[in-house]
Amino acid sequence: MIYLDTSATTAMYPEIIDIIKKYAVDNYYNPSALYTNALNVAKDIKNAKQKILDILHGTGNIVFTASGTESDNMAIFGSKKFKDCKILISNVEHSAIYQCAKKLEAQGIQVEYVACDRFGIVDEDDFKAKLSSNVALVSIMHACNETGGVNDIEKLVKLTNQLAPRAIFHSDGVQAVCKMPINLNKLGVDLYTFSAHKFHGMKGVGGLYIKKGVNINPIIFGGGQENGLRSATENVSGIISTAYALEKTYKNLDIEKNKKIMNYLETSLRKIVPNCIINTDFQRSLSNILSFSVPNTRGEVLLHLLEDKGIIIGTGSACSAQKAHTRIPIALGLSKEYFDGMLRISIDNSTTFEEIELFVKEFDNCYKFLSNIMK
Ligand code: PLP
């Protein structure tokens, strides 16, 4: 099987099973307990936290959660609001942000949606125009899960500090972490989300970085773990394996190799479907995602034809398993005939050139087959 949907999830490193055994079976102690074995587990969690902060160059705290989605919820609902405030998000945010914003809107908080260009990158003029002294929160994703487009977060944070000095700046880094170097101090963000299953860690483990000096409220209450910010007995093996996976995936990251693969892929796709639209601008995107849209075609059909050949690719969220919607194609400015045909190829360090060549060959066959029956 050739797996080209690493932006959806990645395979967990098999050696993480040893970490799970170590902390779930052998040293299964509750890190909040007072005996030495438990204190040792708490110390291991503290070290894992520090390792993540060091790798991502952050000065502050990390609160571990059960997903990128939970971290995003914590950022949106936990950050402080004030009377007559508004919040800003981009119009291509993942639904983990978008649906939270919708909920706030329903509660009476004003939400403004910043436009992006056709590659899913925030329009800086529109962003600037929407900043004002009553902005309480800005949430702009670091890299777009649909197109791979990377926002210049450092610049957006600086603009926010100038024009909306009361605002907390959150960035959803779920797709960016382990796909590009991250320096949280340099970015200047107050809050930053990551999710372990996107970089070969366990599913159901996420984190929210909180810059030193930034205060947010908890959204989960109980025993007061994580300094009261996220009550619940810690997912010890999840946390420790996240630090492990982060370190290993960064060591393996080969951006140049990814770029070569993506260049070849783009050239080949343009030959096969001359009127396709490439939604990824390689000068300003992650090196591991290529999004493209095929006109008058259901991406889902191509996905299943390729699946029959043993190749797994992703569709845009416009045709996700949950529900079809048009928010993203509209935000990217695609015209109607391209709405259903959005496809996403995403790779990781294990992807080989041979696999991509095979994908191109099979995609060519599948597209010709489909075009013939649609004639
Ligand atoms: N944010 C982005 C940009 C994502 O791509 C995803 C998952 O695809 C999430 C948030 C949600 O992360 P999780 O699957 O850990 O809940």
Side-chain angles (χ1 to χ4, degrees):
M1 196 256 289
I2 298 176
Y3 182 69
L4 302 175
D5 196 20
T6 61
S7 295
T9 196
T10 56
M12 188 182 85
Y13 289 130
E15 62 270 30
I16 286 180
I17 290 170
D18 299 332
I19 299 178
I20 297 173
K21 181 172 176 297
K22 181 170 173 192
Y23 290 98
V25 180
D26 303 334
N27 298 294
Y28 49 81
Y29 310 101
N30 188 323
S32 297
L34 295 178
Y35 30 86
T36 308
N37 286 344
L39 294 177
N40 286 338
V41 172
K43 203 160 86 194
D44 290 350
I45 290 181
K46 197 169 163 221
N47 291 339
K49 237 179 219 196
Q50 194 52 53
K51 187 188 252 186
I52 296 172
L53 284 169
D54 290 346
I55 294 172
L56 300 179
H57 304 281
T59 308
N61 185 23
I62 285 171
V63 174
F64 288 103
T65 65
S67 57
T69 301
E70 188 191 321
S71 307
D72 283 347
N73 272 257
M74 190 172 176
I76 301 282
F77 293 115
S79 58
K80 304 214 164 83
K81 315 291 182 304
F82 46 83
K83 198 168 173 282
D84 297 330
C85 69
K86 67 175 185 181
I87 76 164
L88 300 188
I89 70 165
S90 87
N91 64 358
V92 287
E93 292 300 312
H94 188 272
S95 40
I97 291 291
Y98 184 77
Q99 294 302 338
C100 293
K102 285 280 158 203
K103 183 80 189 161
L104 282 185
E105 220 170 19
Q107 291 168 358
I109 291 184
Q110 190 192 347
V111 180
E112 287 197 26
Y113 300 86
V114 182
C116 67
D117 66 14
R118 69 180 201 82
F119 301 109
I121 298 167
V122 158
D123 175 333
E124 286 174 12
D125 290 334
D126 191 48
F127 181 74
K128 218 169 148 179
K130 289 192 161 80
L131 287 172
S132 58
S133 57
N134 67 333
V135 177
L137 172 72
V138 172
S139 185
I140 301 287
M141 67 205 319
H142 198 174
C144 176
N145 53 298
E146 301 277 349
T147 63
V150 173
N151 285 306
D152 185 346
I153 295 295
E154 191 181 343
K155 190 168 174 193
L156 300 182
V157 168
K158 282 191 181 133
L159 284 170
T160 303
N161 291 343
Q162 280 164 20
L163 300 170
R166 294 163 86 186
I168 290 281
F169 197 111
H170 167 253
S171 185
D172 177 339
V174 167
Q175 293 295 338
V177 169
C178 286
K179 312 296 175 353
M180 59 185 279
I182 309 273
N183 186 327
L184 293 170
N185 288 332
K186 194 155 175 281
L187 292 178
V189 288
D190 297 309
L191 306 170
Y192 193 87
T193 294
F194 60 88
S195 173
H197 74 101
K198 305 288 185 181
F199 49 84
H200 305 280
M202 286 166 67
K203 289 179 178 54
V205 190
L208 184 69
Y209 163 76
I210 305 177
K211 187 169 86 177
K212 196 166 182 227
V214 171
N215 290 311
I216 63 167
N217 294 319
I219 59 166
I220 292 180
F221 300 88
Q225 289 89 345
E226 297 276 13
N227 295 321
L229 276 173
R230 202 264 186 185
S231 291
T233 301
E234 293 86 343
N235 176 356
V236 183
S237 47
I239 292 169
I240 288 165
S241 61
T242 296
Y244 172 84
L246 185 80
E247 186 174 38
K248 179 167 172 176
T249 309
Y250 263 121
K251 272 194 188 135
N252 290 340
L253 176 63
D254 188 344
I255 290 177
E256 287 313 309
K257 178 188 151 199
N258 287 351
K259 279 185 179 166
K260 278 188 197 136
I261 288 182
M262 287 302 173
N263 274 335
Y264 167 74
L265 201 49
E266 183 188 354
T267 316
S268 309
L269 289 170
R270 283 192 193 280
K271 277 187 202 146
I272 299 169
V273 192
N275 56 349
C276 77
I277 291 180
I278 303 285
N279 304 310
T280 303
D281 172 6
F282 288 113
Q283 304 304 317
R284 300 180 296 150
S285 75
L286 299 176
S287 65
N288 73 312
I289 295 183
L290 173 75
S291 164
F292 64 105
S293 300
V294 181
N296 304 314
T297 306
R298 287 183 65 87
E300 201 184 324
V301 177
L302 280 166
L303 177 146
H304 289 307
L305 288 171
L306 284 162
E307 191 181 1
D308 287 345
K309 310 277 180 195
I311 299 173
I312 307 241
I313 63 166
T315 56
S317 65
C319 36
S320 75
Q322 272 72 34
K323 58 178 176 201
H325 48 81
T326 51
R327 174 170 69 92
I328 300 296
I330 289 174
L332 297 179
L334 291 168
S335 53
K336 270 215 169 87
E337 67 270 30
Y338 287 91
F339 275 16
D340 293 333
M342 207 165 156
L343 292 167
R344 181 184 67 184
I345 312 295
S346 50
I347 61 172
D348 69 7
N349 177 60
S350 66
T351 310
T352 64
F353 219 89
E354 291 68 39
E355 286 180 319
I356 295 296
E357 281 175 331
L358 200 64
F359 160 75
V360 167
K361 188 173 145 243
E362 293 298 357
F363 182 79
D364 193 15
N365 290 338
C366 294
Y367 185 68
K368 280 192 183 120
F369 170 78
L370 200 59
S371 306
N372 276 335
I373 54 173
M374 279 171 20
K375 263 181 194 161

